[in-house]
Amino acid sequence: MSVILIRSLILYVLVIFAVRLMGKRQLGELQPSELVITILVSNIATLPIEDVNIPVLVGITPILALVCFEVTVSWLCLRFPAVRRFISGSPKIVIKGGRIDRQAMADLRFSVDDLMMALRGSEVFDLAEVQYAIVETTGSMSVMKKPTADTPTRTELDIQAEDSDPPLVIVSDGIVLHTALRSLGFDRDYAARTAEKIGLKTDDIFIMTADSSGSCFISPRDGGRPIITQGGDEIDKGKNQRRDT
C-alpha cells in the first residue's frame, strides 16, 4: 500500500508539472493535439500505479517525452502556419452576413441543434440577431451580433469613462496580500491604515479589494454589510453601516 501511495504522489507531481509546462491553455479549451497528449499522459500515469511490477521510470519517461514533443509541436505551430493548420485545423465560418453556411456546417458535422446550442452558449437565443459566427479550432463558437441587436457601448452613448484596471484582492480571510499591494503601487501598510479608518483590523476583514485610485470594497469577517471607501479617504458610510452582532 505504501508503495502505491508513494508512486501516486510522484506521478501526481509529474503530471502537474507536465500540464504547467505545456501551458495554462491546457486547463481551458484544448486544441486537438493538446487533448491527445492529455489523454495519453493520464493513461500512462495510471500504469505504474495499477501494476507495482512496472517500474516508476517506465511511466515517467514516456510522460516527459510526450511533454517535450508537445512543447516542440507548439513551437513549430507558432513559427509555421502550415504546421498549425495541419495540427489544429482552421476556424470555420458558419454564419456570414446573417446567412447560415450549410456547407460549412456539413463539413463540421454540425446539426441545427448543435448550432443553436453553441449560440445559446454565447447568450444568443435568436438567429435573427447574429451577423457573423465562426467555429474556432477548439470547437467553441465566437459570435458577433448585428448592430441593431448588440449592446451599445459607452462611446456610442457618448458617455465619458476613464480606463482603469479591475480591483485586486488585497486582504483574503484576514491575510494581507503584499503582491497585490505592490501591483497597485501601495505600501505594505496600506490595508491596515484603511481598515483602521473604519475601526477595523485586517484580522477582522474577510475580503478587501482595492483599485489603483485607492477605492476599496471591504467585507467584514463578522458578516456585516460591506463597506465601500472612495479614494482611500472618503468613506461611503450612508449605505454601509455595519450590522450589529
Side-chain angles (χ1 to χ4, degrees):
M1 179 63 71
S2 60
V3 173
I4 295 177
L5 178 60
I6 294 172
R7 287 180 171 219
S8 300
L9 292 176
I10 292 173
L11 291 170
Y12 170 78
V13 173
L14 179 63
V15 172
I16 291 293
F17 169 77
V19 172
R20 291 292 302 274
L21 185 62
M22 287 188 288
K24 289 191 175 181
R25 189 172 57 179
Q26 286 292 117
L27 305 179
E29 296 175 340
L30 304 178
Q31 296 286 350
S33 62
E34 296 166 341
L35 177 61
V36 171
I37 293 295
T38 302
I39 293 173
L40 288 175
V41 167
S42 63
N43 287 337
I44 293 171
T46 60
L47 295 179
I49 298 176
E50 294 175 348
D51 188 351
V52 294
N53 295 319
I54 299 177
V56 177
L57 192 62
V58 173
I60 293 176
T61 302
I63 289 176
L64 292 178
L66 286 171
V67 171
C68 292
F69 176 74
E70 170 60 23
V71 172
T72 302
V73 170
S74 298
W75 180 83
L76 291 173
C77 289
L78 186 64
R79 290 293 301 273
F80 305 104
V83 176
R84 183 167 60 249
R85 287 193 296 270
F86 176 76
I87 296 294
S88 301
S90 302
K92 290 282 188 180
I93 301 171
V94 293
I95 300 178
K96 185 176 182 180
R99 298 181 180 181
I100 300 174
D101 189 333
R102 293 181 59 191
Q103 184 58 48
M105 289 184 58
D107 293 341
L108 293 168
R109 293 185 293 278
F110 247 49
S111 67
V112 173
D113 290 337
D114 293 331
L115 176 64
M116 296 305 298
M117 181 175 63
L119 290 175
R120 289 193 295 270
S122 299
E123 299 184 357
V124 176
F125 294 84
D126 188 350
L127 275 170
E129 297 180 355
V130 181
Q131 173 70 21
Y132 187 91
I134 183 170
V135 178
E136 308 292 355
T137 56
T138 59
S140 62
M141 180 179 288
S142 301
V143 180
M144 184 181 78
K145 293 183 180 180
K146 294 179 179 178
T148 54
D150 201 7
T151 304
T153 65
R154 292 184 177 182
T155 301
E156 293 170 334
L157 297 175
D158 197 22
I159 298 175
Q160 299 297 322
E162 183 179 349
D163 295 333
S164 61
D165 294 332
L168 299 179
V169 177
I170 60 175
V171 177
S172 175
D173 203 9
I175 300 174
V176 179
L177 307 180
H178 298 293
T179 302
L181 287 172
R182 286 196 300 270
S183 298
L184 294 170
F186 299 148
D187 59 64
R188 297 171 63 91
D189 298 326
Y190 177 82
R193 289 199 307 272
T194 304
E196 186 178 357
K197 290 178 182 178
I198 56 176
L200 295 176
K201 297 180 180 179
T202 54
D203 292 341
D204 301 325
I205 297 174
F206 180 54
I207 295 175
M208 179 178 180
T209 65
D211 59 23
S212 57
S213 69
S215 297
C216 300
F217 172 90
I218 302 168
S219 178
R221 187 191 289 271
D222 63 7
R225 297 187 62 182
I227 302 167
I228 300 173
T229 68
Q230 302 293 335
D233 297 319
E234 199 175 316
I235 301 177
D236 184 1
K237 297 180 178 178
K239 296 183 291 182
N240 298 285
Q241 297 294 334
R242 294 186 61 194
R243 184 181 65 190
D244 294 333
T245 57

